[in-house]
Amino acid sequence: MRYFIEHETVLEYPEAVREHHVELRLTPRGDSHQRLLGITLETEPTAGLRGYRDYYGNQVTCFDIIQPHRRLVTRMRAEVENTLANPFDFRPLPPGDEREWLREALRTTPSLYDYILSRSPATPNLGQLDQGFAFPCHEPGRPVLESVQQAMEWITTVLRYKTGVTTVHSTLAQALTAGAGVCQDFAHLLIAIVRSWKIPARYVMGYLASREEGAEEAPPATHAWTEVLIPGRGWTGFDATQQILANDLFIPVAVGRDYLDAAPQRGSFKGDVAGDNPVIRLSISQQ
């Protein structure tokens, strides 16, 4: 599937601010299933853009606006092709061989331990949540894929999707106490469960398209899901919010240990005022 994406973020301030320093993670990732065909990034006021690739392999675009300004606009246009039509199209390993496959993956790529050992308020040790839940386990001899699917199903018994209940700064404990959250909370809970099995799991920020013809307007801008290192296949996306595996409707942009590593826009400025909530406009059209 080929997509054309337009993503605009507008920040406005009641008084002028200055020395705005911004990092963007808006460049769609490239992998064996996704190819970035083109991208343009621009800002208002106009700024010089520079970039680097972070520890997690995300393309980061940076810029600075020194002069006073009351409005900051970032605008990304990208064309992407994703060919992941069937996420089940792989040869699974015998369950008895999966642990050895994972051990070898960790031996040859020690950085994968970051996705097992990392803990944060968004992805804490399950024991720290103290919610009285019987979290799903991965039983020996059961395929990892099945265990992750079972964990996704369980999540719907403790979380329901509801916008506005949590923010990007909320902890997983707060979402569980509320019994509701957004896609970010569903992704974090699945990560915390899978890491408790000592299997790598990471956060994905990206876009979710529709199979309907024509353009789709879907504010707010982004979607979040979880990737788990499935033996014999590698990183595999699981959308706990919708209870499906990621396919060619999912357009990954940035990955990390949790939301903070993959946030689409982060920055700081000098000024005495707080800005309004960002206004995000997104369109995704199939080519």
Side-chain angles (χ1 to χ4, degrees):
M1 199 78 71
R2 184 173 290 196
Y3 302 102
F4 184 73
I5 307 162
E6 295 184 278
H7 182 168
E8 180 185 83
T9 303
V10 180
L11 292 167
E12 293 188 321
Y13 302 87
E15 298 177 9
V17 300
R18 64 192 187 283
E19 292 194 30
H20 219 139
H21 306 282
V22 180
E23 279 190 355
L24 303 176
R25 284 173 175 79
L26 291 174
T27 301
R29 292 174 66 86
D31 57 27
S32 58
H33 300 290
Q34 180 166 283
R35 188 162 59 109
L36 178 63
L37 302 176
I39 185 170
T40 60
L41 281 159
E42 57 187 31
T43 68
E44 296 177 11
T46 302
L49 303 180
R50 59 190 187 280
Y52 69 95
R53 199 166 291 278
D54 70 13
Y55 177 76
Y56 307 102
N58 306 311
Q59 180 62 42
V60 184
T61 303
C62 311
F63 64 90
D64 309 306
I65 298 176
I66 304 303
Q67 71 271 27
H69 57 282
R70 295 181 57 177
R71 188 170 188 265
L72 173 63
V73 182
T74 57
R75 190 175 297 113
M76 183 278 288
R77 299 183 182 90
E79 187 174 6
V80 175
E81 183 178 52
N82 191 307
T83 59
L84 185 57
N86 179 7
F88 295 97
D89 186 16
F90 72 101
R91 180 176 296 177
L93 291 179
D97 294 343
E98 289 193 327
R99 274 295 171 189
E100 181 56 35
W101 187 94
L102 287 168
R103 276 194 289 269
E104 181 63 13
L106 290 164
R107 187 188 68 79
T108 57
T109 312
S111 60
L112 289 172
Y113 280 105
D114 288 345
Y115 298 120
I116 295 178
L117 301 176
S118 175
R119 299 291 185 271
S120 72
T123 56
N125 278 317
L126 297 181
Q128 296 174 341
L129 292 172
D130 194 25
Q131 302 274 348
F133 296 127
F135 292 102
C137 297
H138 172 53
E139 300 170 359
R142 186 179 192 185
V144 173
L145 180 66
E146 287 185 13
S147 293
V148 179
Q149 290 177 297
Q150 187 265 331
M152 283 203 303
E153 294 174 8
W154 177 85
I155 286 173
T156 62
T157 68
V158 296
L159 279 183
R160 61 187 172 87
Y161 184 84
K162 185 177 182 181
T163 58
V165 173
T166 58
T167 72
V168 294
H169 304 294
S170 297
T171 67
L172 183 55
Q174 289 170 323
L176 286 171
T177 298
V182 296
C183 56
Q184 172 181 302
D185 304 303
F186 283 72
H188 283 151
L189 181 52
L190 185 58
I191 289 170
I193 291 170
V194 174
R195 285 181 185 167
S196 75
W197 305 341
K198 303 188 186 316
I199 294 174
R202 65 185 184 183
Y203 182 94
V204 187
M205 183 277 294
Y207 302 106
L208 178 59
S210 167
R211 291 207 184 276
E212 296 178 0
E213 293 293 330
E216 176 189 336
E217 298 292 339
T222 59
H223 190 56
W225 61 95
T226 301
E227 283 186 347
V228 178
L229 195 68
I230 297 296
R233 186 178 189 277
W235 288 116
T236 302
F238 295 83
D239 184 357
T241 309
Q242 303 195 67
Q243 298 288 294
I244 59 174
L245 269 67
N247 54 24
D248 57 0
L249 297 177
F250 291 73
I251 305 166
V253 174
V255 302
R257 295 164 298 180
D258 59 23
Y259 168 81
L260 287 176
D261 288 335
Q265 182 165 333
R266 302 177 66 179
S268 61
F269 62 84
K270 290 183 178 179
D272 298 324
V273 295
D276 296 331
N277 288 328
V279 176
I280 298 171
R281 300 184 182 90
L282 168 71
S283 70
I284 303 174
S285 57
Q286 296 177 19
Q287 304 297 301

